[in-house]
Amino acid sequence: MNDRRGTWRRWIWRGVLLAELAVIGGLAWRRWNSPAVPLPDLRQYHDSQTADELQALLESPPSRDPAAWRTLADACLAYGHYAQADTCLEQAWRLDPSRDTAYQRGLCDSRLGRLDKARGWFEKVADDSGGLLSARAWYQLGRLALRREEAAAATEAFRKSGEFYWPAVYQRAKLLVRGGQAAEAGPLLEQLMGQHRDDLRVWQLRGRYFEALGERDQADRAFDRSLRGFVSLGLDDTELYLRPIRKKYGFVRDYGVAAETQRKSSDGAPARALVRRMLADPLWQNAYLTVNQDLAELALRADDVDAARQLIDRQFTQQLYPSSKAWELRGDLAARGNEWQGAREGYLHALEINPANGGLETLLVETAEKLRQPKVAAQGKQRSLLQAGMEMYRRNEIADAGGLFSQLLDDAPDWYQAWYYLGECHRLRGDQESAIESFEACLARNPDHGRARRSLTRVVGNRPKAAP
Amino acid sequence: MAKWHDVWLVPLVLLLPVVAWWGIPRIPPQRQLPVEAVLGGTRYEPTRLPFERRSLSDPADARPFIAHVQVLDFDDDGRADVLVCDAKQNCIKLLSASTGGTWSERILAADLAAPAHATVLDVDGDGDRDLVVSLLGDILPNDGVIGRVVWLENTASGFETHTLLDDVRRVADCQAGDLDGDGDIDLAVAVFGYARGQVLWLENRGDGRYRDHELLNAPGTIHVPIADYDGDGDLDIAAIVSQEDEELWAFENLGGGEFRSRRLWFTINDDLGSAGLVADDLDQDGDIDLLLPAGDNLEVAHAHPQGYHGCLWFENRGNWQFDMRRISDLGTTYACAVADLDADGDRDVVLVSLVNNWTNPENASVVWLENDGQQNFTPWQIDKQPTHRVTVAVGDLDGDGRPDVVTGGLHLNGPFDRVGGVVAWFQKQGQVSP
């Protein structure tokens, strides 16, 4: 009885085993036959971590999940492996011919220079729904038309992108200004000004608009204002789409995580681990140009002085990249060891390469104080004030910038650059007499300052004429 | 008594799913999806002029960033040298040939932030060669006020740096000529910047002092070649603007330091990627034409060759009329040089490419366009490696009377398997058999 029960049990186990083998064999066969994306040699493009991560993703592609194929395509697109992205999107499209996939395929073909195909994809997405994806697709169709030099088609596509899709409004205005119909661009520019008041491109376009209308003074004012603007209007949809994707993979992601952790919680452990890993990576040169100095800065903040030193030495001796930042970090390393002369040399090299870095002036002041060089420290403070004022001026913080220039000139009236910028601050605040005085003071110290001469001419020309 | 396979049966049944769970995802998929590996990029018939490739620069630099090369006899020894702007090592180098044909490298000046161009002239009139260097401040896109023009004064103890222009954005080019007709040498300056830029001319005021005058407010000016474009006996300035707009400008010299701005050409294709401007009488009809290599799309993180890339020839028809003709479709064309490469009496063109889809190893990195004498051009591929070429010059490097080609590489992105810094192609005698 027991024997029979034992025999049955054995047969059951054998049966289960056979069933398992059949299922596993089937799954293995399916896996063996599943689609594979042919790989470029990723180690010729990326650091080890990024290459291995992308390779693992591409070696184990999803077979039936369109969203996963699209994610994979995004990774390939973001890192410039367009042919692979195209293959992944083809799979995604077969599984799910959605508008999102069509839009992505348009982006990919657009990057590959297949303009006709890209147009076909965007046309599948662009409709009259007024939705964001549709607006973006019309915008892309407009950009494609520009690339084909078809102005009318571009104008029409940008128009269909909608009145509130600002990059398209900008492009329409620009086409009008460049196409000899500047007068019609006025309302569009007004709309843009309402939405992107500080955008430098909008101010530049406004300058071109007034130029085309023959209003030289207005044009000068607009160009002048563009020098104190910033970019708030993103015109390249594709880069805006791809940039965050790059931060999801490999070294760039880990660097972001380490820096953020350090910033938020002063926890340097992830930074130290990342730095050690990259120090040992034989493919570190494939990362990007500033990898060593970026990591050295991170290491210094995490108090890993040895690693920072190794990275900076590597940047000088192996990468052959003596950048201003690398010299500055050399200075920082010397300062950590209280080697003030070494610190000063590092900072001086850094400043020689990048004289516009006001932060370096501050560091030089500190080292001069440590080295008991009061004259050098005083001069450094003046240069530091000048740079700080210029940076404020460029950020359109005119009143504060003017205050700094006045403060500097009270102590040291020979800084002709400070006189010029102080004059500009006065001019922009409408104080023409003070502006003239400042420009003249600048030219008295440097008669060849062309911009001061031009500004002086402008202000004198705009001065209200005295009553007869 | 149970047999051995019965003993293992139960653990086997239990373990097998675990092994499968671990192992199956590790099986490499074998159904290769079709990838159009040759997506984009251009390649041509191999040249029949025999060239021998040789690297001239230090091989220790694994990722060179060479911004500019030019061929000249800098040290007056009767042999051609190559003057190099190295935008990563932040220096100006001179590559010189020894009598044995080996090349050595000497740093003329360091601590120069991303030099883009060096102009050789005698600034102080003391009879030696000085350098005026255009400094970007950063080779990567940057809209900061970090550019400069510096004069490297040739002294007995080396080159001394003097700043001629600062408080400007990235400077990409500086050309010299007497622009106001007062007998001294003035400068035309391309302030490339990024989102903001200018074209300036610097009036020589003597004693190393220059006064800046603005000619154009526009970002992305790359080159400002000076020549007498209208044949009236004075020097005019041409400029290619490439960033927000793609426009070709001329500044007609009216005398006395006055200029009239003329927009000679523009395209609404803001992605064209103008990459430079070369003045040359390509058709040898006695006036100066312009050549525009197009394919700089570095604003895109990973640029790819496009159908509209190549080289545009602007034929000077007189009276400031320039007819544009596309003479090459080389993907991401980044620079061009003009010379009579095949010694048949006409002007040929050499082009280099930055990112001609290097996943296809057959795509061209250096080509030359053979002129049939009627300005019909046939492209010939000189080489497919090294990749990532951004600057080219032509000159007789080995003194054999035949023009050679020298290029510089900017290896920003991969692939990094065909890297080269300053690389030359020496033209040999005879012809390669087809």
Side-chain angles (χ1 to χ4, degrees):
Chain A
M1 189 72 179
N2 278 347
D3 274 1
R4 272 181 65 188
R5 204 179 291 154
T7 308
W8 271 109
R9 207 179 288 136
R10 274 199 296 280
W11 277 112
I12 289 168
W13 280 113
R14 281 174 190 164
V16 172
L17 181 65
L18 280 174
E20 274 183 359
L21 284 171
V23 171
I24 290 167
L27 288 172
W29 177 250
R30 195 172 131 180
R31 172 74 193 169
W32 179 259
N33 274 300
S34 62
V37 184
L39 292 173
D41 183 358
L42 291 168
R43 295 175 80 80
Q44 291 299 340
Y45 291 81
H46 307 286
D47 62 277
S48 300
Q49 187 194 347
T50 312
D52 293 349
E53 208 170 305
L54 288 176
Q55 181 142 356
L57 281 172
L58 287 165
E59 277 179 352
S60 307
S63 53
R64 306 287 314 158
D65 181 358
W69 276 110
R70 288 180 45 205
T71 305
L72 198 53
D74 272 347
C76 295
L77 268 179
Y79 281 101
H81 303 300
Y82 300 132
Q84 283 70 26
D86 185 52
T87 303
C88 295
L89 287 169
E90 173 69 31
Q91 289 299 306
W93 180 254
R94 278 187 192 164
L95 296 166
D96 172 27
S98 68
R99 293 174 80 224
D100 285 339
T101 309
Y103 184 81
Q104 254 175 306
R105 296 203 75 176
L107 290 186
C108 186
D109 280 328
S110 165
R111 277 292 162 93
L112 283 165
R114 301 192 294 202
L115 304 191
D116 284 336
K117 280 190 169 184
R119 184 165 62 181
W121 291 115
F122 290 130
E123 279 172 352
K124 287 183 198 296
V125 184
D127 56 24
D128 298 326
S129 67
L132 181 61
L133 191 62
S134 178
R136 289 169 65 187
W138 281 118
Y139 183 67
Q140 292 290 353
L141 283 167
R143 293 286 305 254
L144 287 174
L146 288 181
R147 287 164 73 181
R148 303 163 73 98
E149 302 193 328
E150 295 168 355
T155 302
E156 183 61 7
F158 290 135
R159 195 185 60 73
K160 287 183 170 170
S161 202
E163 283 175 36
F164 302 105
Y165 196 68
W166 301 110
V169 175
Y170 172 89
Q171 297 286 7
R172 276 168 67 198
K174 186 171 165 183
L175 275 166
L176 287 168
V177 170
R178 299 185 87 194
Q181 297 166 278
E184 292 171 40
L188 295 174
L189 277 166
E190 285 311 311
Q191 280 182 47
L192 281 166
M193 288 298 291
Q195 201 64 28
H196 291 277
R197 184 134 206 101
D198 290 316
D199 188 274
L200 65 92
R201 285 203 197 96
V202 174
W203 280 106
Q204 283 170 339
L205 186 56
R206 210 172 148 84
R208 296 260 173 270
Y209 162 75
F210 284 121
E211 220 170 37
L213 295 180
E215 296 178 29
R216 189 66 249 172
D217 193 48
Q218 292 269 51
D220 282 345
R221 266 187 231 172
F223 287 131
D224 183 64
R225 180 63 181 79
S226 76
L227 298 178
R228 288 168 284 110
F230 54 86
V231 176
S232 67
L233 180 65
L235 297 177
D236 188 347
D237 257 20
T238 314
E239 268 306 292
L240 291 174
Y241 174 76
L242 294 178
R243 214 170 286 149
I245 295 169
R246 285 186 204 112
K247 293 180 182 166
K248 289 183 184 172
Y249 299 97
F251 166 68
V252 175
R253 176 201 55 220
D254 288 0
Y255 177 82
V257 169
E260 190 62 9
T261 310
Q262 203 174 49
R263 193 180 65 80
K264 279 187 176 161
S265 64
S266 307
D267 177 9
R272 281 192 291 272
L274 177 67
V275 162
R276 294 285 159 194
R277 204 167 65 226
M278 279 305 272
L279 271 170
D281 186 349
L283 299 179
W284 61 270
Q285 294 231 45
N286 292 2
Y288 58 87
L289 182 63
T290 58
V291 61
N292 284 314
Q293 63 190 41
D294 288 354
L295 286 171
E297 205 168 21
L298 210 60
L300 261 186
R301 271 192 247 131
D303 290 324
D304 195 344
V305 176
D306 281 348
R309 189 164 281 126
Q310 281 181 60
L311 285 159
I312 289 302
D313 286 349
R314 184 162 86 171
Q315 179 161 337
F316 276 97
T317 58
Q318 289 181 54
Q319 196 183 8
L320 307 178
Y321 180 37
S323 69
S324 175
K325 187 74 196 173
W327 279 113
E328 182 184 338
L329 287 163
R330 262 205 173 161
D332 288 347
L333 283 163
R336 287 234 176 178
N338 293 326
E339 298 162 25
W340 298 108
Q341 195 54 44
R344 183 176 156 71
E345 276 168 28
Y347 298 145
L348 281 174
H349 272 289
L351 195 66
E352 178 69 26
I353 297 172
N354 183 8
N357 184 346
L360 285 168
E361 298 285 6
T362 312
L363 292 168
L364 275 166
V365 170
E366 280 172 28
T367 50
E369 281 168 354
K370 294 283 182 191
L371 291 165
R372 298 177 188 208
Q373 297 170 320
K375 270 191 187 166
V376 177
Q379 274 199 342
K381 271 181 193 159
Q382 291 167 10
R383 281 195 302 264
S384 168
L385 266 181
L386 176 68
Q387 288 297 341
M390 281 155 67
E391 279 160 28
M392 277 180 180
Y393 171 84
R394 287 171 197 139
R395 290 197 300 266
N396 205 29
E397 296 165 10
I398 301 301
D400 293 341
L404 281 191
F405 294 129
S406 298
Q407 188 188 331
L408 166 61
L409 291 168
D410 284 346
D411 290 338
D414 284 337
W415 288 98
Y416 66 88
Q417 300 99 321
W419 281 115
Y420 164 69
Y421 279 103
L422 181 61
E424 283 293 292
C425 293
H426 287 312
R427 181 176 72 81
L428 293 167
R429 297 169 77 188
D431 184 351
Q432 298 195 359
E433 293 311 314
S434 301
I436 290 169
E437 272 176 35
S438 299
F439 292 137
E440 284 174 348
C442 170
L443 289 168
R445 286 159 179 85
N446 178 4
D448 297 314
H449 199 285
R451 279 177 297 166
R453 198 164 288 277
R454 280 195 296 279
S455 292
L456 181 63
T457 309
R458 243 170 104 180
V459 177
V460 170
N462 289 337
R463 211 186 216 166
K465 289 191 174 66
Chain B
M1 193 171 164
K3 289 181 180 163
W4 67 269
H5 45 82
D6 293 332
V7 172
W8 286 102
L9 195 57
V10 175
L12 198 62
V13 167
L14 295 175
L15 265 175
L16 210 52
V18 179
V19 172
W21 174 80
W22 180 85
I24 288 175
R26 284 168 174 75
I27 297 171
Q30 294 300 306
R31 185 162 62 83
Q32 293 280 310
L33 291 170
V35 166
E36 290 181 52
V38 196
L39 287 171
T42 40
R43 56 223 149 262
Y44 308 93
E45 286 291 310
T47 178
R48 290 186 191 171
L49 292 180
F51 283 102
E52 181 188 297
R53 182 181 65 228
R54 209 186 312 162
S55 175
L56 306 186
S57 57
D58 180 4
D61 193 347
R63 304 279 179 273
F65 281 48
I66 305 299
H68 193 252
V69 292
Q70 59 187 296
V71 179
L72 74 171
D73 181 9
F74 189 78
D75 50 14
D76 283 323
D77 65 352
R79 284 192 297 262
D81 307 302
V82 181
L83 190 65
V84 178
C85 294
D86 190 321
K88 193 179 73 176
Q89 296 187 36
N90 287 330
C91 65
I92 304 292
K93 292 175 187 170
L94 188 69
L95 307 183
S96 306
S98 67
T99 37
T102 55
W103 286 75
S104 60
E105 188 172 300
R106 179 161 63 103
I107 291 181
L108 300 182
D111 280 355
L112 299 169
H117 185 267
T119 306
V120 180
L121 74 157
D122 183 6
V123 174
D124 49 2
D126 62 355
D128 56 21
R129 288 198 172 90
D130 304 311
L131 292 165
V132 174
V133 183
S134 311
L135 298 179
L136 286 165
D138 190 347
I139 189 76
L140 302 173
N142 189 323
D143 197 41
V145 186
I146 54 174
R148 274 193 296 165
V149 176
V150 295
W151 161 33
L152 300 181
E153 183 188 358
N154 199 342
T155 70
S157 56
F159 285 89
E160 253 176 49
T161 306
H162 309 271
T163 299
L164 300 184
L165 177 73
D166 62 359
D167 200 13
V168 289
R169 291 183 162 79
R170 301 189 304 158
V171 179
D173 189 26
C174 183
Q175 296 292 334
D178 182 5
L179 294 171
D180 52 4
D182 63 356
D184 55 26
I185 300 296
D186 310 298
L187 301 168
V189 179
V191 181
F192 185 96
Y194 187 65
R196 289 162 282 205
Q198 297 161 289
V199 178
L200 303 170
W201 78 276
L202 305 186
E203 177 190 352
N204 191 339
R205 307 273 296 158
D207 299 327
R209 292 179 303 120
Y210 289 83
R211 179 178 295 173
D212 57 293
H213 303 268
E214 185 178 270
L215 294 169
L216 183 71
N217 180 323
T221 308
I222 305 170
H223 288 155
V224 279
I226 291 176
D228 182 7
Y229 295 105
D230 54 2
D232 65 353
D234 55 25
L235 292 174
D236 312 297
I237 304 167
I240 181 66
V241 172
S242 69
Q243 195 72 353
E244 196 52 41
D245 303 319
E246 298 275 349
E247 297 178 334
L248 177 61
W249 284 81
F251 304 96
E252 180 190 358
N253 197 335
L254 303 176
E258 295 297 317
F259 292 86
R260 177 184 294 144
S261 305
R262 293 175 176 274
R263 190 174 70 180
L264 301 179
W265 170 87
F266 80 100
T267 170
I268 61 168
N269 176 10
D270 298 335
D271 292 317
L272 176 68
S274 299
L277 193 63
V278 171
D280 190 272
D281 184 6
L282 189 68
D283 53 6
Q284 299 184 98
D285 65 351
D287 54 29
I288 301 294
D289 308 311
L290 291 160
L291 283 120
L292 190 161
D296 172 2
N297 290 145
L298 278 180
E299 69 278 9
V300 170
H302 299 280
H304 199 78
Q306 303 291 327
Y308 41 75
H309 288 164
C311 184
L312 308 181
W313 167 40
F314 291 89
E315 184 189 355
N316 193 339
R317 310 288 290 180
N319 199 25
W320 293 104
Q321 296 301 308
F322 284 78
D323 287 353
M324 188 271 279
R325 209 177 102 199
R326 190 160 177 247
I327 59 171
S328 167
D329 63 353
L330 175 67
T332 67
T333 305
Y334 215 89
C336 72
V338 187
D340 182 7
L341 225 58
D342 52 1
D344 63 354
D346 53 32
R347 308 285 287 160
D348 308 304
V349 181
V350 185
L351 302 171
V352 291
S353 170
L354 175 64
V355 261
N356 195 9
N357 185 20
W358 304 126
T359 51
N360 182 343
E362 298 306 315
N363 283 348
S365 65
V366 186
V367 304
W368 74 283
L369 309 179
E370 182 183 358
N371 190 343
D372 69 354
Q374 301 300 311
Q375 285 64 250
N376 300 306
F377 293 91
T378 307
W380 299 102
Q381 186 155 321
I382 293 178
D383 218 329
K384 53 194 178 185
Q385 61 171 314
T387 55
H388 298 88
R389 305 289 90 193
V390 293
T391 172
V392 61
V394 175
D396 182 8
L397 294 173
D398 51 6
D400 65 357
R402 285 182 289 271
D404 308 305
V405 176
V406 60
T407 70
L410 182 85
H411 292 271
L412 263 176
N413 285 321
F416 297 115
D417 54 352
R418 287 156 279 165
V419 171
V422 180
V423 177
W425 284 262
F426 290 87
Q427 196 181 156
K428 299 292 160 195
Q429 205 164 11
Q431 279 222 332
V432 176
S433 12

